[in-house]
Amino acid sequence: MNGWERVKSSKSRFGRHSHISSDDRPSRTVRLGHVQPQAPTHRTIYCNDRDANLTVKFKGNSISTTKYNFFTFIPKGLFEQFRRVANLYFLMISILSATPFSPVSPVTNMVPLSLVLLVSLCKEAYEDWKRFQNDMAINNTLVDVLQDQRWEPIPWKKLQVGDIVKVKQDGFFPADLLFLASTNADGVCYTETANLDGETNLKIRKALERTWDYVTPEKAWEFKGEVQCEQPNNSLYTFTGNLIHQKQTLPLTPNQILLRGCSLRNTEYIVAAVIFTGHETKVMMNAMNVPSKRSTLERKLDKLILTLLATLFVMCFIGAIGSATFINRKYYYLSLGKGVEAQFNPDNRLVVFAATMLTLVTLFSTIIPISLYVSIEMIKIFQSTQYINKDLHMYHAETNTPALARTSNLNEELGQVEYIFSDKTGTLTRNMMEFFKCSIGGEVYGTGITEIEMGGAQRTGNRVEMYKSANAVHEKGFNFDDARLMRGAWRNEPNPDMCKEFFRCLAICHTVLPEGDDSPEKITYQAASPDEAALVIAAKNFGFFFYRRTPTMIYVRESHVEKMGKIDDVAYEILNVLEFNSTRKRQSVVCRYPNGRLVLYCKGADSVIYERLAPGQDDLKRITRENLEQYGSAGLRTLCLAYRDLSPEIYEGWNEKFIQAKSSLRDREKKLDEVAELIEKELILIGCTAIEDKLQEGVPNCIETLSKAGIKIWVLTGDKMETAINIAYACKLIHNDMKQFIISSETDVIREVEERGDPVELARVMKEEVRKELSKSLEEAQSCFRTVSGPKLALVIDGKCLMYALDPNLRTMLLNLSLNCTSVVCCRVSPLQKAQVTSLVKKGARKITLSIGDGANDVSMIQAAHVGVGISGQEGMQAVMASDFAIAQFRFLSDLLLVHGRWSYLRICKVVTYFFYKNLTFTLTQFWFTFQAGFSGQRFYDDWFQSLYNVMFTSLPVIIFGFFEKEKCSASGMSAQWHLPVLL
């Protein structure tokens, strides 16, 4: 973990700077995931002019993620400690022991309390010191800043708004920057944003054409632009502003902004201007406190302490009544009526009662163990660092990733989990895309069988045998088995020309960057998504090897095109790239062949491609659609491919409009989309691709084991219902013996209303249909439970129905139905719905819940559950940063819950019981002696022995018990101890 990742981790857990402050606007609270409305004012920044920016007094670039500073450590630290009931109680006892009513020396109470507070404060100081060191490492990182026509290295903390900086390859951006120029042609650079949004794929950023020349320090010194932009905010994906340069106003978009925390890739260096610094950068404004989670046992511990306080009060009350009754002048040795002892004056028994009450409170104070919290914290930290973090059974050798307990507060909570909410992609599956099947010109290629298909076969009771030919090629990103296309055999297919177009579309229509040697065995691809990399790798294996690109050219080594054994290096000129976005759902490239042929290649979702096909392809469209449905049922991710030949006249006319839209200052994105519509039409369908995302190793066995342990598992996925059900079968989450309740929006009644296009009527009908289905399913579920050997139940519901089922009027019905089910699958759900479902069960069922996911879209679900587990997988570290525990593979969850969770729960429970037992025994002895001493409040034990009983004499046996106590392994049934943790 590098310095930046460490400070990012600290920010996620301890980020407290949730304000944006500036001289020209009021402060306001900013929360992650919620973009606050911006003030109407803007800020003006003078680039390369520190004197002009001094009047505005922008924030510095130094950051602090510490919880305390030199002056606040003592007051804030003590405040945190005295929020605990036990510490506050002993503070009161210490004060009371300094009064004349105390039978013990005040020092004997103050010293143990001071020791306990000292240990706790030292722990806080150590953790905050580590955060301070991380901050210093970041603040003192050097960056090149333009000063007097040369680059001068200065620490990040001295960077100011408006400075011109130079960031080298693999370096991190020190602040939010305006991208001016790069060493790459066409002003392009590539950034990795894993520290920011969890995505490991490269992003392309492009500078304004007017600033491309400012690469050298001499040239950059001439740059004197003025930036007018929005105020600092926490929206990672938006930016509005203008650059006024040489009396021209140039619009700025997020495409020209480089955010702090991202790193530069595949670019020698870039030159940029500082826009936002320090705590006004977007990454720092997204720093937030992870919700404070307390374990159920800790909350019960507070109640137990309050119960002991009530017991203490009863004991003191009995003693005080006895003293007021028993007191008599014949007990001359009490020196009645003289000095302080006047409290025992038999003539004023009410004073005797009150004075004895205070005396006995001090005397019986040991009923509450002063070292309880410290001992439990030590035990939890030991369990986390020595058992969970070092268990080889939860170590993933491939990625060198051990398990990580990010907090020690919830160890015992793991042993009480009853509901697990899991994401699918990257959590149950590997998120490692492999080209698996394809359809070209209506012909299906690929003979493999997916795990999901095997699950579907199990669902119908059929048996499927896996077969793989000896000549099958399998590399990372490619798992295709069909001899008809491999090694040039496609030339003998009925549609060789269509195959050729298919392979060229894969090799040309993308934004992938090649790295390394230009040989098929050594080259690596940097892609915007794993799907895109898989398609390029597929083209390579089919004989169309993409090995080099420049801003205007793509080079493809084509083999087996005209005849076997012939290899040609073909250079395709890339004229235009129509980029993919969530609205377009497609990507297009206009290229020119060496012979002058102009072609538009397009790939995208089947729905958008089919709308733009030329007429006369009905048979091909029907066959390809059937193939798409078949691939979807097998759990494969699909894309459609199409192309269009362009005449020079059509292209030239369109390109003029494209250039105009590209240089437009207003609504540029909208105009580019409109121009793209003009050429992305009359397409010829080539076929479709199918990419597999396999299940992680051990997932079915893990789910089966957890189910046997009585834990109910819910899968929340964005897949189609059919795919989700097949995945559930493959994971052994659902099997044929279960009774399934399926609540879907794909019914004839709902489709009929959708066709009318009335949203109000649709909402009313859907809510009524969902209510009927829930009511009917709930009745059937209850009838199943009335039978002696009723089947296990499973619920499958899609996102549209779930939206209405979460309505306050139907929520109770949904909760009752789902709690009766062993397995629940929610498909087509949004990140918000994941969190809503988790909260519904957490609050409604009052059971311990656990959420597990790997992506930024799982953060809300992870934070909503009692325990959050992050998978440190392919989608970066965003889920891990928000989690309480991190593991590398889903299968490790069984060890985490059934071994470490259960042992931690049993140990802490026994430690608490042990503590209360020994303290009650100790105190009740003193209580019984009170009866023998005439309720006079005389002590049975020495002062120091009484005070050090908890802190010194009996603490070690309890702590050792908490470290090493284990449950005995039973010969039959589910036992938590199926293995001993093998430590690193």
Side-chain angles (χ1 to χ4, degrees):
M1 182 179 286
N2 59 35
W4 174 258
E5 291 169 332
R6 289 196 299 270
V7 76
K8 183 73 178 70
S9 173
S10 299
K11 293 196 294 285
S12 298
R13 295 181 57 200
F14 302 100
R16 57 189 179 85
H17 302 275
S18 56
H19 296 272
I20 313 168
S21 57
S22 182
D23 293 342
D24 55 354
R25 61 192 176 84
S27 64
R28 60 184 182 277
T29 302
V30 174
R31 301 185 182 215
L32 183 64
H34 181 73
V35 181
Q36 297 290 336
Q38 294 302 303
T41 57
H42 63 271
R43 63 162 48 183
T44 301
I45 300 165
Y46 300 96
C47 299
N48 206 11
D49 191 345
R50 283 195 169 188
D51 294 335
N53 291 323
L54 280 177
T55 57
V56 187
K57 297 181 180 178
F58 293 116
K59 293 286 184 183
N61 200 41
S62 178
I63 64 161
S64 173
T65 62
T66 56
K67 193 175 181 180
Y68 311 102
N69 60 38
F70 181 79
F71 298 102
T72 63
F73 175 70
I74 297 298
K76 285 186 71 174
L78 289 176
F79 174 76
E80 289 292 329
Q81 294 306 314
F82 286 120
R83 290 174 68 181
R84 290 176 167 174
V85 176
N87 287 343
L88 191 60
Y89 164 76
F90 276 104
L91 177 64
M92 295 171 62
I93 294 298
S94 297
I95 295 171
L96 193 60
S97 66
T99 66
F101 303 108
S102 172
V104 297
S105 170
V107 178
T108 57
N109 275 320
M110 293 178 181
V111 169
L113 177 61
S114 300
L115 285 174
V116 169
L117 293 178
L118 182 64
V119 170
S120 298
L121 288 175
C122 287
K123 172 178 170 287
E124 288 284 316
Y126 174 75
E127 290 180 351
D128 217 45
W129 175 253
K130 299 299 288 184
R131 291 192 287 270
F132 175 73
Q133 287 183 317
N134 287 337
D135 291 345
M136 292 299 293
I138 293 298
N139 290 332
N140 290 317
T141 304
L142 298 179
V143 64
D144 288 334
V145 176
L146 185 63
Q147 293 180 354
D148 297 327
Q149 298 190 26
R150 65 178 184 271
W151 300 116
E152 294 286 349
I154 68 169
W156 281 18
K157 63 184 178 183
K158 294 185 179 179
L159 207 59
Q160 295 182 17
V161 171
D163 285 350
I164 305 298
V165 298
K166 169 186 168 184
V167 180
K168 299 176 183 177
Q169 182 168 339
D170 298 327
F172 288 96
F173 302 131
D176 289 352
L177 308 176
L178 170 62
F179 181 25
L180 299 178
S182 82
T183 52
N184 290 341
D186 287 353
V188 169
C189 77
Y190 302 93
T191 68
E192 184 181 272
T193 61
N195 285 327
L196 197 65
D197 57 11
E199 296 184 11
T200 56
N201 308 310
L202 297 186
K203 309 291 189 301
I204 298 175
R205 295 291 179 262
K206 190 169 185 178
L208 297 173
E209 293 184 18
R210 300 294 175 87
T211 64
W212 287 359
D213 295 333
Y214 299 110
V215 179
T216 63
E218 296 79 16
K219 192 69 177 175
W221 185 252
E222 301 172 6
F223 179 71
K224 299 290 181 182
E226 179 183 322
V227 177
Q228 294 180 346
C229 64
E230 63 189 11
Q231 293 291 353
N233 60 75
N234 68 333
S235 175
L236 296 176
Y237 307 106
T238 63
F239 180 83
T240 54
N242 292 315
L243 171 63
I244 302 173
H245 180 52
Q246 296 177 351
K247 298 182 180 181
Q248 286 187 319
T249 301
L250 307 172
L252 299 175
T253 67
N255 207 28
Q256 286 88 47
I257 302 301
L258 308 173
L259 299 183
R260 178 182 177 125
C262 302
S263 56
L264 184 67
R265 297 282 186 265
N266 300 101
T267 309
E268 184 182 347
Y269 70 85
I270 59 103
V271 175
V274 178
I275 301 295
F276 301 131
T277 51
H279 290 284
E280 291 188 335
T281 57
K282 291 182 182 290
V283 65
M284 289 303 296
M285 298 189 73
N286 272 299
M288 62 168 289
N289 287 324
V290 174
S292 179
K293 296 180 179 180
R294 296 183 68 205
S295 69
T296 308
L297 188 65
E298 194 173 336
R299 287 193 292 269
K300 287 182 179 178
L301 192 57
D302 285 345
K303 294 178 181 178
L304 282 171
I305 288 177
L306 292 175
T307 304
L308 285 179
L309 283 173
T311 305
L312 172 65
F313 177 80
V314 171
M315 291 165 59
C316 295
F317 187 79
I318 293 171
I321 289 178
S323 179
T325 305
F326 182 76
I327 199 69
N328 195 298
R329 289 191 182 278
K330 67 181 181 180
Y331 301 110
Y332 61 90
Y333 49 82
L334 293 177
S335 305
L336 302 181
K338 295 180 182 179
V340 174
E341 288 76 10
Q343 60 179 300
F344 292 105
N345 187 350
D347 298 332
N348 195 345
R349 295 182 183 273
L350 188 60
V351 173
V352 172
F353 174 86
T356 306
M357 191 82 174
L358 294 174
T359 300
L360 295 180
V361 165
T362 310
L363 192 62
F364 299 154
S365 63
T366 52
I367 194 172
I368 295 177
I370 189 171
S371 60
L372 174 63
Y373 283 110
V374 172
S375 300
I376 288 178
E377 276 193 11
M378 290 174 62
I379 291 167
K380 286 183 175 182
I381 291 172
F382 186 87
Q383 290 170 350
S384 299
T385 57
Q386 302 304 312
Y387 289 155
I388 295 177
N389 292 0
K390 294 185 178 181
D391 186 357
L392 279 177
H393 287 279
M394 297 194 296
Y395 171 73
H396 193 233
E398 291 179 23
T399 57
N400 190 27
T401 308
L404 174 66
R406 289 174 47 81
T407 176
S408 60
N409 296 334
L410 302 173
N411 294 352
E412 69 275 14
E413 204 84 334
L414 292 169
Q416 305 172 72
V417 169
E418 293 191 42
Y419 287 89
I420 294 175
F421 300 90
S422 174
D423 176 43
K424 182 192 76 73
T425 304
T427 304
L428 297 178
T429 61
R430 303 182 185 184
N431 200 23
M432 294 175 62
M433 310 304 175
E434 292 183 329
F435 189 94
F436 197 69
K437 291 185 179 183
C438 63
S439 170
I440 306 176
E443 189 71 25
V444 176
Y445 297 96
T447 59
I449 298 172
T450 67
E451 294 168 320
I452 312 304
E453 281 181 296
M454 295 181 70
Q458 178 189 349
R459 173 184 172 193
T460 56
N462 298 327
R463 288 191 64 186
V464 177
E465 300 223 357
M466 295 283 288
Y467 169 77
K468 195 160 191 176
S469 65
N471 296 323
V473 177
H474 188 192
E475 68 169 278
K476 184 179 179 182
F478 188 76
N479 185 21
F480 182 82
D481 184 11
D482 197 326
R484 292 177 295 169
L485 291 186
M486 301 303 294
R487 297 175 179 84
W490 56 268
R491 294 171 63 250
N492 301 320
E493 287 297 292
N495 50 359
D497 291 335
M498 194 68 84
C499 290
K500 197 185 300 182
E501 295 293 351
F502 182 88
F503 301 145
R504 280 178 176 155
C505 183
L506 295 182
I508 296 171
C509 185
H510 55 76
T511 57
V512 175
L513 296 170
E515 283 187 344
D517 296 340
D518 59 349
S519 64
E521 297 78 19
K522 296 181 180 180
I523 200 164
T524 57
Y525 293 116
Q526 292 283 357
S529 69
D531 304 64
E532 197 168 43
L535 296 177
V536 176
I537 291 170
K540 178 185 76 172
N541 282 280
F542 290 135
F544 289 72
F545 171 38
F546 158 64
Y547 65 93
R548 185 183 165 207
R549 91 177 299 150
T550 68
T552 56
M553 302 293 288
I554 275 185
Y555 296 86
V556 180
R557 188 167 297 155
E558 300 181 357
S559 57
H560 317 308
V561 177
E562 302 301 333
K563 61 180 181 179
M564 293 296 290
K566 184 179 179 182
I567 298 176
D568 289 328
D569 283 352
V570 185
Y572 296 95
E573 184 181 0
I574 304 301
L575 302 175
N576 308 92
V577 177
L578 306 176
E579 295 179 359
F580 175 90
N581 59 46
S582 57
T583 305
R584 284 167 42 78
K585 295 182 180 178
R586 63 190 183 279
Q587 178 187 35
S588 297
V589 167
V590 180
C591 67
R592 178 182 282 125
Y593 280 46
N595 61 7
R597 180 192 177 196
L598 288 171
V599 186
L600 168 79
Y601 285 114
C602 183
K603 67 180 182 186
D606 55 345
S607 56
V608 296
I609 298 294
Y610 268 55
E611 292 172 359
R612 291 161 177 79
L613 294 179
Q617 306 178 67
D618 294 340
D619 289 342
L620 180 57
K621 286 166 63 177
R622 177 181 53 79
I623 295 170
T624 305
R625 188 180 291 278
E626 290 173 359
N627 296 335
L628 286 165
E629 290 175 358
Q630 179 186 348
Y631 294 153
S633 298
L636 299 172
R637 302 159 69 97
T638 58
L639 276 178
C640 277
L641 274 58
Y643 77 99
R644 178 189 178 188
D645 279 305
L646 302 172
S647 66
E649 295 78 16
I650 291 176
Y651 172 72
E652 292 299 335
W654 174 83
N655 193 40
E656 288 180 10
K657 297 175 183 177
F658 180 77
I659 293 172
Q660 290 175 3
K662 194 175 180 181
S663 58
S664 174
L665 296 180
R666 290 187 179 180
D667 300 326
R668 183 183 302 172
E669 297 298 325
K670 181 181 177 183
K671 290 179 180 178
L672 283 172
D673 289 350
E674 290 173 353
V675 171
E677 293 283 351
L678 299 177
I679 200 169
E680 290 175 331
K681 61 182 183 180
E682 299 181 11
L683 301 176
I684 298 172
L685 182 62
I686 305 173
C688 65
T689 62
I691 292 175
E692 181 188 21
D693 187 11
K694 285 188 174 182
L695 289 175
Q696 285 184 14
E697 179 188 347
V699 165
N701 292 336
C702 176
I703 288 178
E704 191 174 22
T705 302
L706 293 171
S707 298
K708 287 180 180 178
I711 298 173
K712 296 181 179 180
I713 301 167
W714 296 34
V715 173
L716 312 176
T717 176
D719 284 335
K720 298 175 183 177
M721 180 170 285
E722 188 71 17
T723 306
I725 293 174
N726 286 344
I727 288 170
Y729 270 91
C731 292
K732 296 186 179 179
L733 191 67
I734 298 177
H735 49 79
N736 287 329
D737 296 334
M738 285 183 170
K739 181 175 179 59
Q740 297 177 28
F741 302 114
I742 298 178
I743 303 176
S744 172
S745 58
E746 298 294 324
T747 63
D748 294 335
V749 176
I750 294 174
R751 281 200 197 99
E752 186 180 335
V753 179
E754 280 180 339
E755 290 174 1
R756 296 178 199 157
D758 186 352
V760 178
E761 176 70 7
L762 177 62
R764 186 190 65 79
V765 170
M766 281 199 67
K767 186 174 180 179
E768 182 61 25
E769 287 295 310
V770 170
R771 188 192 64 77
K772 288 179 182 177
E773 287 295 325
L774 285 174
S775 178
K776 176 185 171 185
S777 300
L778 188 57
E779 287 179 10
E780 291 185 32
Q782 289 172 345
S783 65
C784 288
F785 273 98
R786 293 190 192 104
T787 60
V788 178
S789 58
K792 290 185 177 180
L793 307 177
L795 171 65
V796 181
I797 184 170
D798 68 12
K800 288 183 180 178
C801 294
L802 185 62
M803 181 174 65
Y804 294 98
L806 289 171
D807 185 270
N809 297 326
L810 301 179
R811 190 178 299 165
T812 305
M813 202 180 299
L814 172 66
L815 182 64
N816 291 335
L817 173 61
S818 57
L819 294 184
N820 286 325
C821 296
T822 305
S823 303
V824 177
V825 178
C826 301
C827 49
R828 290 294 191 194
V829 291
S830 65
L832 177 61
Q833 285 178 319
K834 291 182 179 182
Q836 288 175 333
V837 169
T838 306
S839 298
L840 175 70
V841 177
K842 178 182 177 181
K843 295 175 182 176
R846 297 184 181 276
K847 304 292 185 183
I848 306 300
T849 58
L850 179 147
S851 291
I852 179 169
D854 74 318
N857 60 334
D858 301 317
V859 168
S860 56
M861 175 180 74
I862 287 171
Q863 293 182 343
H866 290 95
V867 182
V869 177
I871 300 284
S872 47
Q874 299 292 313
E875 293 191 26
M877 299 297 287
Q878 195 74 359
V880 171
M881 293 300 182
S883 66
D884 305 303
F885 298 89
I887 54 179
Q889 296 277 289
F890 182 89
R891 68 177 185 272
F892 299 152
L893 197 61
S894 55
D895 292 312
L896 186 65
L897 298 186
L898 304 184
V899 178
H900 296 286
R902 179 159 179 80
W903 282 4
S904 297
Y905 179 50
L906 291 173
R907 284 167 178 158
I908 295 297
C909 287
K910 289 183 178 180
V911 163
V912 171
T913 309
Y914 195 157
F915 254 109
F916 287 149
Y917 166 74
K918 69 183 182 65
N919 279 65
L920 274 171
T921 305
F922 186 77
T923 308
L924 288 175
T925 307
Q926 178 70 65
F927 179 62
W928 181 248
F929 178 72
T930 300
F931 283 84
Q932 313 305 316
F935 305 99
S936 59
Q938 297 297 308
R939 60 181 185 271
F940 182 64
Y941 301 107
D942 176 72
D943 287 10
W944 283 105
F945 180 85
Q946 178 175 322
S947 297
L948 297 177
Y949 175 77
N950 274 311
V951 180
M952 298 285 291
F953 302 149
T954 62
S955 59
L956 191 59
V958 184
I959 292 173
I960 296 298
F961 188 87
F963 285 172
F964 303 113
E965 169 66 5
K966 290 195 301 244
E967 184 183 23
K968 291 182 180 179
C969 183
S970 60
S972 60
M974 277 303 301
S975 171
Q977 186 186 359
W978 67 52
H979 71 73
L980 292 174
V982 181
L983 304 183
L984 289 169

